[in-house]
Structure formats: structure tokens, C-alpha cells
Amino acid sequence: MPTNMTLFSINAILILSTDDRTRILTKYYSAPHAPLHAPPGSSYPGANPYPTVKDQKAFEKGLMDKTNKQTSDVILYDNRVVVFKMEGDVMLYVVGGADENEVLLFSVVLALRDSLNILLKTSTDKRTIIENYDLVALAIDEIVDDGIILETDPVIIASRVSKPPAQDMVNMKNIDLSEQGLLNVWEFGKQKLAERMRQGL
């Protein structure tokens, strides 16, 4: 029986600029629940290994140095499996534990890349991502929540991010806005009001 059975699989999603090596959007995740046998404040398999911004920036700098001239899409860095894709002048990273499935992590980075291409339409570059920061953050939240992968289909992700839910929208197709349609609505309202008044008396 496996001892480490959990849905938690993503430690971080990073979008970094390749030009000036700055962070555009970064999200680090910790497992929502510590194991029962882990003492408080200890390092357990799902704990965030980079709790401070200083640690995160050091990790990101080293990661950029390591992946700058790589030809593969998967590396092992700092005892973490890192999958990445370059889009324009940005690098998209998905970081998982050392024992995490690379194919699963790669499907997440592809879902992120493809959903950003659908949402941003023009190109996935630093300027476009900053201008549409809200859409990018929502897309990441639709893909991963607390390190748990929710969705990897880019079309579904883009539709959830870009459109309001269908049940909240009024169906405008069946509404007749012509003069006769408005008169019908007025007559219907008058009838209903008269019925209510008769019932109340």
C-alpha cells in the first residue's frame, strides 16, 4: 500500500521574463493538509520548500540560468521536476516534486500555454501578459488549485475565464423587443396585477 497517496502534485507555476529575468506571475503551493505524523513547522513532502520571497527569487534565478540554453522541456533542478515552455519572451514553468509524473506536469504546462494563446489571441509575450494579468491569473486558478490539477483542456479553461456562467445570463433570443412585443408585455402585466389585487381583496 502506497504511503504517499495525494492529489497534490504542483509545487509552483512560474511565468518569468527571459529578457530581464524578472518574475511576471508566480504561484507557489503547499499541500492543503500536512501529514498526521509530521511535527509542526517541519518539512514534509508537500511543504512549500521556498517560503520566503528571497528563497523564491533565488530558486527562480537558478532555474533561469539552468534552462536558458536547454533543448529539452523537462529537467530535475533542486530535487524538483521542472517542465517548461518558452513563448515569445517569457518562460512558463511548472514545478513538481521529485517523484511526480513528468507527463502529468507537461500536460499542465501545455494547458497553460494553449489557454493563454486562446485568451490573449495576439501573442504570449511579457507586455500582453501584464496587460491581461487578470485573465492569466484566472487561467492559472482554473488549471491548478492549491497544487491540485483541476483541468487541462485549454478550450474549457479559456471558456471559463472569458465568459460569464451561462445560468447568470438572461436569454435574449426569446424576448420580443418590437412595439407589439412591448404592448403584449404591458397587457400581461396589467392582467397579472389585476388578478393579484382581486385575490388580495
Side-chain angles (χ1 to χ4, degrees), residues 4 8-9 11 45 76 79-81 96-102 105:
N4 189 15
F8 181 81
S9 54
N11 291 118
L76 185 65
N79 202 24
R80 306 263 169 229
V81 175
D99 57 346
E100 197 55 59
N101 185 344
E102 296 88 2
L105 297 177

Side-chain angles (χ1 to χ4, degrees), residues 19 35 72 137:
D19 293 340
S72 65

Side-chain angles (χ1 to χ4, degrees), residues 9-195:
S9 54
I10 307 291
N11 291 118
I13 293 182
L14 314 170
I15 301 177
L16 305 176
S17 171
T18 56
D19 293 340
D20 51 2
R21 296 175 173 256
T22 57
R23 53 182 6 199
I24 300 171
L25 191 148
T26 60
K27 285 197 168 225
Y28 287 85
Y29 303 102
S30 292
H33 305 289
L36 295 175
H37 62 276
S42 67
S43 177
Y44 53 90
N48 183 359
Y50 314 105
T52 66
V53 175
K54 182 179 177 184
D55 295 338
Q56 292 172 4
K57 286 189 176 184
F59 172 73
E60 293 161 11
K61 182 184 181 307
L63 189 60
M64 284 293 287
D65 292 340
K66 177 97 174 180
T67 59
N68 198 17
K69 302 225 175 5
Q70 286 282 336
T71 56
S72 65
D73 294 329
V74 180
I75 62 167
L76 185 65
Y77 177 73
D78 197 23
N79 202 24
R80 306 263 169 229
V81 175
V82 179
V83 294
F84 59 96
K85 279 289 186 189
M86 184 165 182
E87 281 292 307
D89 60 349
V90 297
M91 289 286 273
L92 309 172
Y93 295 97
V94 175
V95 182
D99 57 346
E100 197 55 59
N101 185 344
E102 296 88 2
V103 176
L104 181 69
L105 297 177
F106 195 68
S107 69
V108 172
V109 80
L110 289 180
L112 178 61
R113 181 196 68 181
D114 295 342
S115 60
L116 290 181
N117 284 336
I118 293 170
L119 288 168
L120 303 179
K121 291 180 181 87
T122 54
S123 65
T124 308
D125 60 354
K126 181 179 178 180
R127 180 174 178 225
T128 311
I129 288 174
I130 291 172
E131 288 173 356
N132 297 288
Y133 194 85
D134 55 342
L135 291 177
V136 176
L138 285 172
I140 290 174
D141 289 341
E142 285 293 328
I143 297 170
V144 175
D145 183 36
D146 278 340
I148 299 170
I149 300 169
L150 300 176
E151 183 65 61
T152 57
D153 186 353
V155 175
I156 293 174
I157 295 163
S159 69
R160 286 182 184 164
V161 169
S162 61
K163 291 190 295 190
Q167 68 268 18
D168 293 343
M169 294 174 43
V170 177
N171 188 358
M172 295 297 286
K173 292 181 182 176
N174 299 330
I175 297 176
D176 183 12
L177 295 177
S178 66
E179 186 176 341
Q180 183 61 44
L182 294 175
L183 286 174
N184 291 342
V185 169
W186 175 254
E187 288 300 320
F188 180 75
K190 279 187 357 186
Q191 285 177 346
K192 289 295 180 186
L193 181 62
E195 285 177 17

